[in-house]
């Protein structure tokens, strides 16, 4: 199991326990991931850290001064 943090722009879109699809996007030298229907987005991952799971479970939603962050557990 692996935990990944996604950045979410608005509160109230997700709840702890939700299982959502993860969509992979490719950049020139990295990959990024979108959670659900574009609810949240990951940072860029180098090719060596690519995520193979296609769905994840929401473990926690954090509120900070910089916005909302969703911690998702994937079976990777």
């Amino acid at each position: 199991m692996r935990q990944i943090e996604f950045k979410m722009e608005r509160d109230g879109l997700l709840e702890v326990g939700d299982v959502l699809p993860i969509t992979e996007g490719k950049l020139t030298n990295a990959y990024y991931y979108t959670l659900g229907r574009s609810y949240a987005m990951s940072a860029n991952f180098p090719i060596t850290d690519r995520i193979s799971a296609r769905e994840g479970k929401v473990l926690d939603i954090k509120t900070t001064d910089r916005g909302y962050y969703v911690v998702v557990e994937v079976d990777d």
Side-chain angles (χ1 to χ4, degrees), residues 9-39:
E9 295 298 321
R10 295 182 318 193
D11 191 21
L13 298 175
L14 306 173
E15 293 182 13
V16 173
D18 287 350
V19 177
L20 299 166
I22 297 173
T23 306
E24 181 179 75
K26 184 170 179 8
L27 301 170
T28 306
N29 292 322
Y31 289 91
Y32 65 92
Y33 299 90
T34 307
L35 187 62
R37 300 174 133 187
S38 299
Y39 296 127

